[in-house]
Amino acid sequence: MSVQKTKLLAISSSGGHWVQLQRLRPAFEGCDVTFATTRDSYRHEVEGFRFEVILDANRTQKLKALLMLFSLLKVLLKVRPDVVISTGAMPGYFTLRLAKLMRCRTIWVDSIANAEELSLSGQKAGRIADLWLTQWEHLARPEGPFFKGNVLGD
């Protein structure tokens, strides 16, 4: 009898969100991981893993955001994850929303860059994420987001 690995989709925007997602990699050990981000140039950083490129958009780019949704849906239907984790930003938030419709478990880790308050995506993710995390202890609340550490190891 073989044990099936948890299928994990780890998704983020480029830049700091991607760096933080990469710092979480040790936590993904034992999972069947697919990484997805907005820059194809990051592919070499995750050799040995499946890799998907998604469209990027922000809240001022309505048409591009719609196209991004189709890009995210395509990845979700291809990967069929059990769990989706994101460190942000807008593509990660919408992936969690779509993933909930597919009955996936979802994890949001708000960016460490948001030291004063949660990001807008992070605030909205709290309503849909099964596990909602902040990387700043002073932003944690009893009802979430929860603090379990940060990518700096503090």
Side-chain angles (χ1 to χ4, degrees):
M1 183 171 134
S2 67
V3 177
Q4 201 167 30
K5 291 182 174 181
T6 299
K7 292 172 75 177
L8 174 72
L9 175 60
I11 188 165
S12 75
S13 297
S14 60
H17 299 287
W18 175 256
V19 171
Q20 292 171 63
L21 192 65
Q22 294 308 301
R23 287 185 172 227
L24 295 173
R25 262 168 76 166
F28 307 156
E29 188 174 322
C31 294
D32 179 7
V33 183
T34 300
F35 287 97
T37 189
T38 54
R39 282 198 188 160
D40 191 44
S41 61
Y42 293 163
R43 182 181 304 269
H44 74 281
E45 296 179 21
V46 290
E47 285 184 21
F49 294 94
R50 281 182 299 286
F51 181 82
E52 299 288 337
V53 178
I54 54 170
L55 289 177
D56 197 8
N58 62 50
R59 59 184 165 189
T60 66
Q61 301 169 308
K62 306 295 183 208
L63 180 58
K64 200 170 178 183
L66 182 62
L67 295 173
M68 179 192 69
L69 282 173
F70 286 111
S71 163
L72 300 173
L73 184 60
K74 181 180 171 187
V75 169
L76 282 166
L77 291 173
K78 181 177 179 181
V79 175
R80 300 248 178 221
D82 302 306
V83 179
V84 175
I85 185 168
S86 182
T87 51
M90 188 170 159
Y93 167 72
F94 279 105
T95 303
L96 262 62
R97 288 196 66 136
L98 293 170
K100 288 305 289 183
L101 296 173
M102 296 172 64
R103 300 179 185 222
C104 299
R105 288 175 287 157
T106 57
I107 303 169
W108 179 268
V109 182
D110 207 51
S111 174
I112 197 162
N114 303 100
E116 299 300 322
E117 62 182 349
L118 292 176
S119 67
L120 179 60
S121 294
Q123 292 171 31
K124 292 182 177 219
R127 289 182 237 142
I128 56 170
D130 295 300
L131 179 59
W132 182 33
L133 299 171
T134 176
Q135 297 188 60
W136 294 101
E137 194 168 6
H138 66 276
L139 295 179
R141 302 287 179 268
E143 67 281 1
F146 304 103
F147 176 76
K148 300 290 183 185
N150 62 48
V151 295
L152 301 177
D154 296 341

